[in-house]
Amino acid sequence: MKVVFVIVFALILSTVALSQVLIGINGNFVTLQESNGFVELRSIDQFGASFIISEKSGRAYFIYNKKITIIEEDGTVSVDFLDVYPKSAIYSKNKVMINIDLLAKILGVGKYETATGQIALLDSICVLQAVDLSKNQLKLSFVGFPFIEMMKISTQKSKIVVQLAPCLSNLSSTNSIKVNQVGNITSLEINLEIDAEPSVAVKVDGGTVSLALRFPQAGREILAEGVSWEQRVERIGGKDMLVNYLWIDPNLVELKLQISSGGIGTFESVEKMVSRTGAVAGVNANYFDPNTGLPIGLLIVDGKILSMPYGNRPVFVQTRSGSVYIARMYFDVNVRVGQLLFLVKGINTIAQGEVLIFTPEFGITIPRRDGMIYFSVVNGKINGYGWAAKAPQDGYILAISNNYERYLQGVQIGDKVEYVVNTDFPYAIKHAVEAGPLILYGGAPIPDRSDEKNRYGGNIARSNATRTLLATLPDGKVVLAVINDQNGSGGVNYDELVEFCMSKGFHSAMNFDGGSSSVMVIKDQVVSKTSTAWTRAIPVSLLVIKNNK
């Protein structure tokens, strides 16, 4: 007998609030996109679940722990063909989202709130068993599976306060460590013997969480040959700002753009990107669509074009010779198929376009559209026809509108296909990323300063916000900086950044994405100021990599 359940939820289409939900099962954790109480199912397969969207049936199928969940286009969800939940999903061609409470029920997990207010769906709550404080390290030992997102850390002179949620503990306070338990929130207040404010690096290893303590405001710390880190309180626009600097010689290291491990259209924290690549340091990079995870603007990695330009915005470039530039540039791509030449409208995108290219780095399913003709290209030659979910590893999928079908009738297997790039940038590009606004060019404020501020929606340039900044120096070196507020002002605006960059003697300067995306990571440590022990997952970072020369 079918049982119909009604789940009450609020769906406000005019105001879409995007956030992230953490799911933890058997010590495995994944972050999913959330909007107004609905969670996207695209990455749920990391738990051994199967998730399929069938265009033919107009349904999505989610199979986990022998339960079959069917999601209809009208938002109806049925579980094991028995329990029916009307209006409990949002279904579109590109994604499927399910009510968060229903997902928790299907997975058999509890719904909790972390110390920073993030929703977490967990199969168990860990228990804090021991706290050990040595000179420069705090070690927390747990029964269960701790995770970095459960922690909120604040620091002041000679003190660290750690909130853990959800977490349980029956530990007693000591002279140096005060323990307090309220509900499923464990609070620790740790008094230090050093008369300075620490910078805290968090590392999770099984049931142990280690907090390494550093005191960086004493001066620059050399991280590797050609890279040093400095943390200072700067006066910007009449406000005290915490500024983390990376001073970089691009002749001694590589500044490499890194996409998330799941590919374009997925998310990963900068800490994880730094850790898995062995990078010296990293910051967040370009703007992106938080709903799809797709980058906004030009993206070139190791000479390969992964995303097309967005508009007249600045681009950071490292050339094949290692030189670095900040510039606006003209850049478009054509593709030549035999004797035919087509203007490419998009690369690795779900947007509509007459000519699209999908590379192996595209981490989601290639859109299948009736009005497109699909070619598989391998080693620069046509090797197949028809739609494919993923691009071949040594090639790409070329999709062309059937408006051009009569011109394509003569295309055969083995025909040559090649990119034709048109740009006014004079040097061979190795890495490039588009962001902005442009702050300085050639040692001076830009003449179209007012127009530049208007190129960015949401009042990005004029509002006070945390900022990630990239600048070049007159000698060709690079500065990466993350600027956080110290007094509740929210950060700095465009005009204040112009004055700051001028005072530092920067040659050219531009912003990367800012706000909650802004982060600087040194090896395994988040050094920029955050209100949490975790940072927002993003699609692309800029990493500092040791040269193998």
Side-chain angles (χ1 to χ4, degrees), residues 13 127 174 210 222 271 275-276 294 314 370 381 496 515:
L13 295 177
V127 178
T174 65
S210 299
I222 297 174
E271 305 98 285
S275 176
R276 69 178 169 84
L294 297 176
D370 293 337
K381 294 182 179 180
E496 292 167 343

Side-chain angles (χ1 to χ4, degrees), residues 451-466:
D451 292 338
E452 180 68 2
K453 287 188 279 189
N454 292 332
R455 290 189 179 100
Y456 302 83
N459 210 26
I460 287 174
R462 292 180 172 83
S463 61
N464 289 332
T466 300

Side-chain angles (χ1 to χ4, degrees), residues 335-369:
V335 61
R336 180 177 284 117
V337 183
Q339 300 301 312
L340 305 170
L341 190 67
F342 298 93
L343 177 65
V344 176
K345 294 295 186 179
I347 297 178
N348 294 327
T349 179
I350 60 173
Q352 300 278 357
E354 288 193 325
V355 180
L356 304 172
I357 287 173
F358 301 92
T359 73
E361 291 80 8
F362 194 56
I364 57 181
T365 301
I366 294 172
R368 185 174 189 173
R369 298 187 176 112

Side-chain angles (χ1 to χ4, degrees), residues 298 329-332 420-427 429:
L298 183 65
M329 65 172 71
Y330 171 77
F331 192 100
D332 70 25
V420 179
V421 175
N422 299 307
T423 180
D424 56 1
F425 189 77
Y427 308 110
I429 298 173

Side-chain angles (χ1 to χ4, degrees), residues 126-299:
C126 58
V127 178
L128 179 63
Q129 268 199 325
V131 180
D132 178 53
L133 176 63
S134 60
K135 183 177 180 182
N136 289 317
Q137 181 171 270
L138 179 68
K139 183 179 290 186
L140 311 179
S141 300
F142 295 84
V143 173
F145 303 104
F147 52 98
I148 198 167
E149 293 88 348
M150 69 185 284
M151 290 177 282
K152 180 178 181 180
I153 300 174
S154 59
T155 61
Q156 53 186 281
K157 204 171 189 179
S158 304
K159 185 178 289 187
I160 303 172
V161 177
V162 181
Q163 281 191 324
L164 305 166
C167 180
L168 300 174
S169 181
N170 58 5
L171 291 177
S172 300
S173 299
T174 65
N175 290 335
S176 58
I177 302 173
K178 181 181 178 181
V179 183
N180 186 40
Q181 185 75 40
V182 178
N184 61 11
I185 302 175
T186 305
S187 299
L188 306 174
E189 185 176 305
I190 301 103
N191 294 309
L192 306 174
E193 296 179 355
I194 301 174
D195 188 27
E197 183 175 356
S199 176
V200 182
V202 182
K203 184 176 182 180
V204 179
D205 184 10
T208 301
V209 176
S210 299
L211 286 75
L213 311 181
R214 301 168 82 171
F215 301 87
Q217 295 191 26
R220 294 189 187 182
E221 178 180 330
I222 297 174
L223 304 176
E225 186 181 9
V227 189
S228 61
W229 164 50
E230 183 180 14
Q231 187 182 80
R232 300 181 61 182
V233 175
E234 301 271 18
R235 194 77 175 164
I236 305 176
K239 300 168 288 189
D240 287 337
M241 296 289 151
L242 181 68
V243 185
N244 281 276
Y245 297 94
L246 285 170
W247 304 90
I248 301 164
D249 185 343
N251 294 310
L252 300 176
V253 295
E254 181 180 2
L255 288 163
K256 183 174 182 179
L257 292 154
Q258 181 67 49
I259 64 173
S260 58
S261 58
I264 291 175
T266 66
F267 300 87
E268 185 179 20
S269 69
V270 177
E271 305 98 285
K272 290 180 180 177
M273 294 187 201
V274 169
S275 176
R276 69 178 169 84
T277 60
V280 175
V283 298
N284 64 292
N286 53 349
Y287 295 101
F288 60 93
D289 183 339
N291 198 28
T292 64
L294 297 176
I296 297 173
L298 183 65
L299 179 64

